[in-house]
Structure formats: structure tokens, C-alpha cells
Amino acid sequence: MASKMLRQGLGTNITAIVNRLASELQNTPFYNDFLADVQTTMATQNFNKERFGAECYEWAQGTSLDTRLRNALYHLMHVQPTLLANPDTPRHVLKEPLTYIRKAQSAWERRLVKCVNSMTAELGVPLSRRRTKQEKEEFSDRWASLSTEETDLTMIRPVYAPKDFLEVLASLRNPNYDEAVEENLWGSIQLPFKVNDIKGLVELYGELAYCCKHTGLDEAVAGEYKANLTLAEERLILGQKVVERNHGPLSRELIKSGCPTSLRGVLWHQVLGLEITDKHYKHFDELVQAVLQHDLLVDKLIMKDIQLTASNDDQYFVFEDILFQVLLCFFRDTEVLSHFEHSSASPPLAVARGNTPSPDALVAYPPCGVIPFHGFTMYAAPLSCLYEDPVPLYFTFREMYCRYWYRLHIVTSHSQGAAALALQFELLLQSCETRLWQHCCAMSIQLLPIVFKWIVRAFSGYLVPDQLFHLWDVVLAWESLEVLPVLALAIVSFRRENLMDVTSQQAAEAVLADITAISVIPLLKLALAADRGREREP
Amino acid sequence: MTARIAYCTDMEKSVLSNNFEKRGWIQVGPDDEWNFYWAGAQTCRSLFSVDSGYRMNDNQMINHFPTHYELTRKDLLVKNIKRYRRELEREGSPLAARDATGRYIHLDFLPTTFMLPADYNLFVEEFRRNPNTTWILKPAGRSQGVGIFLVNKLAQIKKWSRDTKSSFNPALVKDTYVISRYIENPLLIGGKKFDLRMYVLVTSYRPLKAYMYKQGFCRFCTVRYDTSGQELDNMFVHLTNVSIQKHGEEYNSVHGGKWPVRTLRLYLEGTRGKARTDKLFADVTWLVVHSLRAVAPIMASDRHCFECYGYDIIIDDQLKPWMIEVNASPSMTSTTANDRIMKYKLVDDIISIVLPPDGVPNVHWNKIPANDKSGDFELLLDEELYQNSDHSATHRGKNSDRHSAPRWK
């Protein structure tokens, strides 16, 4: 009876959802060009007047127009996931269904804003300032080598670091949760979210656990179909065909079993639904102009962050100049504000100087609505190994941030939010590495603070670039951040013996300090397929 | 009862002594009975000189070949490569084929170079043919970027030659200089110029046995590259030597401007495609092998010797590698933590390859290390193995030219 009602409920909603998707699609910039192309191409065909609709549909099947439409829809569904929800859901619930979480996120936001405000007061630096003509010229001259900018950043401190955020998450409590009655939560995270256990993860990552021919495992083995070629060579040939087909979901399927290095740049664009056109170049130029126009306090924050992270990084120091450009533009980009529709967070608002405070005069500060934290640069840094040109680099970084990374530093009940991932790690540790977990409890060792750093940065800067790319391939292919706690667990399992030998938090940190030698895919497979006496479905 | 291995070293470097100590070797002085000597070039000169009368016994091993300067002195290297190419041409080998402009198609990895003052007139002729070029002057026997400068006008050379002739400084007068075509279009990454340092271990010249280290690195300049000609005097823009760059304002001691070759490869594959990247690295290997084959005939292939060279290579923006020079004593100083780890492993792997299975230096060993002894070294070429397999295999109808070509792994 209940399932029948559910089916009926979904039934009417599916129509509503489809209609909504269709109308949203018509609002996207893609639509006008697409319609023009369709009309032009159709004009060359001879369709029967009576059977116009059917013939048209038949003709369109399998053409590039069809692929373009599918890609656009696929992209839309990802960029605006709220379109798939029940249309009757109120906005604030779409953003965050749980009230106490909503309150916690607001409190966190207020704290960050307070910090920024006090920084501006302490340092006497305004939040935003128009550059003088001379300053503009000087800055423009140095645009190619901003790493040599001589602004004094010694007084600038990051607004927060992942460990501060973890403290906040660890202090959250669900007011409806009664410890005495319900299941105990034994770790730092005391939030009863529903997260996948190892069985659920194995099901989710099925192919990763079972399929053996992954180029991240060993690309020198013989190919699956052509024994005379190596796996790497075979995948490259296949990859080139997939790239030509230019169909998002197909590209996604390919990278599930390993992405050829030379095709990664273009495959990631296809999976993300990104097609860099002149419009993108124009938009980037506008952002550059915006950077030249105004000097923001946030600029100093991010410049300091680059200096602290990327400039000192063995792998990414080469690209510091381009990272300055990309990140300064990011904080000016108001298009980023649209991701707040499906985020529990909201952008901090400020009143432009000279205006009277009223709801209409409020603008987001910074313009993109995101306040950077220590390590924020590292979301963009690895992409510099994929894209030479700052424009594709910028848009790929922006897209990945708005789809995935934003959830790693906000208070949200989403199953891929930082809190849920942290909880997932703890539960996995307790169920899969029980002895190790017990040892850590006995020695007052907490592994979560160590792995949380990795998770918030999506392991950027901790793994070597080619291994990091394998990990981000998995994130994109399965469209989920759950691989992050799985990898964290896998690394901890891998170093289990050393961890069992240590008796202090410091020593545990030393064991896990350097993970540059870690190979991602073998460890993930081990973690997902290991038979530790768990019940497994045949 | 086997006695403990005795080692001797001219330089107090932790990456060396840690490796020797961990094997339980004991340190002795150069006049004692050492088995393994990590020597500086100076010591080798005196040790190998006819006057010293020093003879090494069967259980002694040293880290330089007597005539290594044939490869590592810039002027002799050029001379040897030019001779090698001419010899191949005389033999009619397709390796020495030239194109319409007279450039060697396959062996064009050395920038046009002349010796000064000997080839001064030849140089002037070349300069007049291509007047808008920049040239780099280097003292033939120096290192670490000392004495190097750039010129782009004939007048600058004339002035320099006047200055050195009239100088009473014996060091200046004694030095031969080489002048090479400066590579004005180096590949830039992040807007900065870099060069490649690859380590190559040679355990024998006749038959040639060479190994290339997989963990090479790029050395970046701290200042953005400028081709306008206004920055010709700024050595921070042009010379990638760490000894120079570490005095720059922007020098960062965390990464030291050193970038792993592994990441270079990842970056190039991602941005330029696999084919072009594979070709670049194949060309680097090619360059190394031919430079070694060029000096092999005249190198004293003393069985007591092995040598680890530091090859400096510049990649231009067409992804073509150019050999800049070969160092006989690549620096064992570590400038960063990663550097220390890499150099420690380098020395570890070198020792592992050059020692016979029982770990005692022995001149009679056949110098064919077991597969698991190479560590991060990759076999580049082993002429003995190649010759052995050739004789044992049935005749495969290879043409005679292929016999003179190196056998790839």
C-alpha cells in the first residue's frame, strides 16, 4: 500500500520534474545556439507533414545534435541538482533539511564573517577598495608574475584551517538524539547521519572493487582485448574513440577503469560537461578586469594561502604565477553564487559603501560568496599539471569546486558533506579495523584529526600528482566524495602494523605524516574487496 | 674469514657516509688499503697519472675513469662527438645522415659549438651567417656556472678576447673557452626556464655498460624567462645551476627549484600528448647513448672504475633535447629534504649495481648485475649482453648497420 502511494507520488512528480528541467534548459545559454542549429539542419531535410513529430524524432536519434542535447541535459542535472527534487519543497529545506544543522551553519558563517571583519579593523585594510589608475597599471604589468608581488602579507593569517572546522563539527549535537535509547556513536562526530557502511560502499563502487584491468593498478599488463598491446596502449586507443564521441556519461564510464594521462584534460571536461568557448574567454577577461579594478581584503588572504601552500609545494611551485591569476579571478566571480542553491551555506553579505543598509543594497562579499581557508589553493593547484592555459584551468577548477569541493568545508547533513565523510571514516574504522581502533582508543590516539586534513583538501598536496589524479578520476566517475574516507581507511589499514606499535598521538601523526609513496588504486581495491570475515552477497 | 670492506672518501657528505656505514664498511685514509674510493676528480688525476706509479689491486674500486675528461670537459666532448659523427659518415652509416642544410638528422643533439681561441675564425664565419643569434661562452674546465656569460654581438667577443689576452691571470689564460649557440627558445613551464639533470652510471666502456636513473629532476630558474635581450646579464634568468640560483632573491629552500622528472612527464603528457612526450624521453636516451659511444673508443676502460655522470640537458619549445654538458662529479650536496632522500637512494643503487654479488669489489667479476640490484636505475645499454644474445640466437638477418647501433632495452 505504501509503495503504491510512493509510486503514484513519484509519478506525478516525474512529469513535473521533466517539465521543470525542460523549461530550465530553455533558459540556459546552450539553448538558443542549439535551437538555431537544429532549425538550420532540419531545413535541409524533407519531412512528411503529417508524421513530422515522429520522423523528426527518428532522424535526430544518434546524430550529433542528439548527443549535444543529452550532454546539455546531463550537465544541467548536475549543475542544478535541486531541479530533480520534489517541486513543492521549500528552498531552505532544499538547501538543508535539518534545522539544527541549518542553525549550526549560520553560526559558523557568522563566526567567519566576524573574523574577516575584525581582520579588516585590526589591519586597517578595507574589505574592498578601488585601485588608483597607477596601481591598476602596475598591477596589470605584473599580471604574468604575481608571485613576485611585494605586498606585505606578514600580518595576514588564514581565517581558519581544517582543524578549526573539525572542532566545530565535533561539537555539534542533534537535539532529538537520545544517547540512552539509541545506538552509540563512539567517535568524535556525534551526528547520527545515515552513511554507507562497507557493504554499501562496495556496492556503490562495484566496478572498482571487482574489475581488475585498471590502468592505475598496472598499465603494463597485456590489454583486455588485444594481447599484443599493453593495457595503457589499448586504453589510449579506446579513449580517443570515446573522446570523439563526446558524450558525458560515456566518458564517465571510461574513466571508471582508468583515465589515459594524455586524454585526462579533455575527458574531465566531457564528464563535467564543460566546453570552453569564446564566451568563457570573455568571461575570464571580465574577471581579470574586475581584479584590476578593485583590491579586496580577500585577495590578501588567498595570496597568503598560495605563498604558504603552492609556493612551497615540491610539485606545484612551478605554477604559482598561474594560480595567482586563477584564484584572484575566482573570488570575483559572481556566477559561483549559483551553487548556493543546493548548498546549506549562504554567502556573507555586505553593504556597498555609501549605500544605506537595506536588503536591496546587499552584495556578497567576497563576490563569489566563499571565504577561503588555509589550503584552499590546493583545490586548484593540481589542475595546473593538466591545463597550460589559465582559462580552461579556471573553469575546470570552478566547476569542480561548485560540484564537489564546496561540501568539504560547510556544515551540512548531506551524505557527502564533511561531517558525514568524517563520520563515515570513524564508522569504517570501527567496523573494519576494530583492533586498530581499540588500540587507538586505549592510547588516546585520534586518527580522525589526521585524516580529516586529507579529506578536506581531497588529498591535494598529500599525494603525488599522478596518484591524486587517479583519485579525482574516481570522484568524477562515481560522482561521489565517499571515496575520500575509503582511501583514508585504506591508508590507515596499510600502515596498521606501524600504528599498532605507537603509543602517542605524536607518533601516530609521524606514521601518517608522509603519504607521497601511496598508490591509490591498489589500496582502494584492497579496502573494497578485502574479505575480513564480513558477510558478502554472492 | 672475510675482512670488512674499507672505504675512502674525499668528501664528507652524509648521503655518502650513511650509505657506507649502513653496509658496515670501515673508513680508512687514501694511503691505506681501501676497497672502495669515492674520490674527487683531483685525486683521480694524481692517482691515475703515470708519474704516481700507483697500481690498484684486484679488490679495489674507484668512482672515476682515468680519462673521464674526454666526456666531461666541454671542449673535448665537442671534439669527440664531431669525430664520432664524421667516422659514422665515413662508414656510410645511416645514423650519420644529413639533411639539405647539412645538419645531422639523427645526431643533432649538440648545439653548434666552437673552441676559442682555436676556432675563432670558424666561429666568426658562422656568426656572420646568422647575425641575430645569442651565444654562450663557457670555460672548458670549470663548473657550477663559473665564468659563463652570454653575448650577441661580435664586438663583445672581441672585447673579451682582448681582455683575456692582456690579463696576467694564469687561470684565465690557461682556460680554453667554448662558445655555443645559446638555446633561445627553451621550453618554459610556468614562464620559467629549466634544465634537466639526469644521472647516468657507466660501469664499463668496452663493452659499454650504461644505466640511467629514473629519478632525474628539473632545475628551475627563480626569475621568469626574458628573451628581449635586456636581461642577458641577469644570470638568474639564464643559468639554471643551483649554485647560482640559490643566491637569488626568490630562492625557496623548501623545494629548491627542483622538480621531479616524473611530474614533468605527467605535465607534458597531459598538455602535449603521449606521442610527443614519449619521443622527447626517447630522444634523451638516444642522446646519452650516442655521447657514450662517441667517447668509448678512446676512454681507458679500467676494470677498477665506474662513474656516475650528471647529464645537463635543455629542452627547447619544440620538445627537442639538447646536450649542454656532462658532469663527472655531480653534486652530492642536498639542498632540500627530498633531494637528500633521492641522492641517498642514488648512491645506494650505484653501490648495489657496481658490486659483485658477494659485496666485495672484484676486478674479475663480469659486471652483469642481477635484475633486482638495479634499484631505480634502468638498463640503458649493455653491449656484452647484446653480443652474447646475438651469438646465441639464430641468425636473424639483421643488416650490418644495425650491429653498430645500440641495442635498446
Side-chain angles (χ1 to χ4, degrees), chain A residues 405-464:
Chain A
W405 312 142
Y406 74 94
R407 291 212 171 97
L408 296 172
H409 61 88
I410 55 173
V411 183
T412 171
S413 64
H414 194 279
S415 59
Q416 291 173 45
L421 297 176
L423 176 66
Q424 198 167 28
F425 170 76
E426 291 194 308
L427 293 177
L428 285 172
L429 183 69
Q430 289 157 20
S431 59
C432 302
E433 288 288 339
T434 320
R435 263 186 69 219
L436 175 61
W437 169 63
Q438 286 171 337
H439 170 79
C440 290
C441 288
M443 299 293 147
S444 304
I445 294 174
Q446 289 198 49
L447 292 177
L448 181 61
I450 306 175
V451 313
F452 192 71
K453 290 197 311 283
W454 301 341
I455 291 177
V456 169
R457 279 210 207 158
F459 287 83
S460 173
Y462 295 106
L463 295 172
V464 290

Side-chain angles (χ1 to χ4, degrees), chain A residues 19-31:
Chain A
N19 285 338
R20 202 160 62 160
L21 279 172
S23 71
E24 265 309 309
L25 196 62
Q26 286 174 320
N27 286 337
T28 60
F30 153 85
Y31 190 69

Side-chain angles (χ1 to χ4, degrees), chain B residues 182-373:
Chain B
Y182 184 63
I183 294 155
E184 286 167 282
N185 61 331
L187 176 67
L188 300 179
I189 299 187
K192 301 197 183 88
K193 177 176 165 180
F194 67 97
D195 81 347
L196 198 54
R197 159 56 61 95
M198 303 295 292
Y199 294 104
V200 177
L201 172 66
V202 177
T203 53
S204 156
Y205 273 99
R206 283 189 303 279
L208 183 56
K209 291 172 189 262
Y211 306 81
M212 183 129 90
Y213 205 58
K214 291 183 207 161
Q215 315 297 342
F217 55 91
C218 305
R219 294 176 296 204
F220 273 84
C221 292
T222 51
V223 177
R224 288 183 80 84
Y225 189 68
D226 175 285
T227 47
S228 65
Q230 285 161 349
E231 292 276 4
L232 281 184
D233 294 328
N234 186 347
M235 286 300 118
F236 293 116
V237 170
H238 296 284
L239 296 187
T240 52
N241 310 66
V242 174
S243 46
I244 301 229
Q245 293 295 336
K246 58 179 200 215
H247 299 293
E249 255 175 32
E250 303 293 329
Y251 180 73
N252 177 311
S253 55
V254 174
H255 52 72
K258 292 182 175 169
W259 206 40
V261 142
R262 183 181 176 181
T263 319
L264 170 70
R265 195 167 190 144
L266 180 75
Y267 171 82
L268 287 177
E269 265 192 54
T271 54
R272 309 278 175 131
K274 192 161 186 347
R276 291 187 76 189
T277 309
D278 284 349
K279 176 160 197 322
L280 166 66
F281 284 95
D283 286 346
V284 168
T285 322
W286 179 264
L287 173 169
V288 169
V289 169
H290 283 286
S291 63
L292 292 174
R293 296 196 71 221
V295 299
I298 55 166
M299 198 61 103
S301 189
D302 190 327
R303 285 192 78 88
H304 297 96
C305 307
F306 66 90
E307 205 157 16
C308 178
Y309 299 106
Y311 270 73
D312 291 343
I313 295 168
I314 289 209
I315 305 173
D316 72 15
D317 60 13
Q318 302 306 308
L319 291 197
K320 182 182 159 77
W322 294 95
M323 184 160 77
I324 300 303
E325 67 165 342
V326 183
N327 292 290
S329 299
S331 163
M332 285 297 139
T333 316
S334 322
T335 50
T336 69
N338 276 337
D339 206 29
R340 181 181 314 276
I341 295 170
M342 188 271 287
K343 285 181 176 156
Y344 176 87
K345 182 123 206 318
L346 173 69
V347 175
D348 194 13
D349 290 343
I350 291 175
I351 299 176
S352 169
I353 290 184
V354 304
L355 289 183
D358 65 357
V360 181
N362 189 335
V363 118
H364 300 294
W365 179 49
N366 66 4
K367 299 207 178 195
I368 300 180
N371 283 341
D372 61 346
K373 297 279 188 188

Side-chain angles (χ1 to χ4, degrees), chain A residues 144-145 147-148 236 261-262 311-315 317-321 384-388 464-467 469, chain B residues 188-190 192 220 224 250 252 254-260 262-263 266-267 269-274 338:
Chain A
S145 56
S147 57
T148 54
L236 185 60
T261 310
S262 47
S311 296
N312 282 336
D313 190 294
D314 288 320
Q315 308 286 347
F317 72 89
V318 175
F319 305 108
E320 48 178 355
D321 289 329
S384 50
C385 285
L386 276 183
Y387 306 104
E388 263 181 303
V464 290
D466 57 85
Q467 293 304 315
F469 284 155
Chain B
L188 300 179
I189 299 187
K192 301 197 183 88
F220 273 84
R224 288 183 80 84
E250 303 293 329
N252 177 311
V254 174
H255 52 72
K258 292 182 175 169
W259 206 40
R262 183 181 176 181
T263 319
L266 180 75
Y267 171 82
E269 265 192 54
T271 54
R272 309 278 175 131
K274 192 161 186 347
N338 276 337

Side-chain angles (χ1 to χ4, degrees), chain B residues 36-195:
Chain B
F36 192 94
Y37 197 159
W38 193 281
Q42 196 75 295
T43 318
C44 285
R45 249 198 296 275
S46 38
L47 215 138
F48 287 119
S49 83
V50 184
D51 308 328
S52 79
Y54 194 98
R55 297 296 303 275
M56 285 191 272
N57 70 38
D58 285 355
N59 300 103
Q60 286 186 309
M61 196 149 213
I62 192 165
N63 68 326
H64 287 292
F65 283 93
T67 48
H68 63 81
Y69 43 79
E70 295 283 351
L71 183 63
T72 57
R73 264 187 68 107
K74 301 174 186 50
D75 53 347
L76 296 178
L77 173 65
V78 171
K79 193 178 99 232
N80 284 317
I81 295 203
K82 285 185 177 175
R83 191 208 71 241
Y84 173 67
R85 295 197 289 220
R86 280 196 306 271
E87 268 169 18
L88 284 174
E89 227 174 343
R90 264 201 298 273
E91 282 172 26
S93 164
L95 287 173
R98 297 210 209 205
D99 68 10
T101 66
R103 290 198 90 90
Y104 287 97
I105 303 176
H106 306 295
L107 298 173
D108 184 31
F109 49 79
L110 204 58
T112 312
T113 306
F114 299 99
M115 252 72 80
L116 292 182
D119 296 335
Y120 183 73
N121 292 324
L122 286 169
F123 161 71
V124 171
E125 229 183 275
E126 176 70 36
F127 188 83
R128 291 220 165 99
R129 260 201 295 261
N130 300 295
N132 290 324
T133 49
T134 309
W135 294 75
I136 181 165
L137 256 110
K138 304 186 235 196
R142 307 300 297 277
S143 64
Q144 305 202 328
V146 170
I148 298 188
F149 58 102
L150 301 176
V151 296
N152 60 359
K153 293 191 190 35
L154 214 47
Q156 293 165 322
I157 313 266
K158 292 187 172 159
K159 178 175 183 299
W160 166 80
S161 80
R162 272 200 313 271
D163 287 346
T164 49
K165 279 207 187 90
S166 62
S167 161
F168 289 109
N169 184 336
L172 278 180
V173 174
K174 214 167 50 162
D175 268 339
T176 320
Y177 270 71
V178 291
I179 185 164
S180 307
R181 182 72 182 269
Y182 184 63
I183 294 155
E184 286 167 282
N185 61 331
L187 176 67
L188 300 179
I189 299 187
K192 301 197 183 88
K193 177 176 165 180
F194 67 97
D195 81 347

Side-chain angles (χ1 to χ4, degrees), chain A residues 378-396:
Chain A
M378 299 309 280
Y379 289 139
L383 298 176
S384 50
C385 285
L386 276 183
Y387 306 104
E388 263 181 303
D389 186 337
V391 177
L393 204 173
Y394 174 73
F395 285 99
T396 313

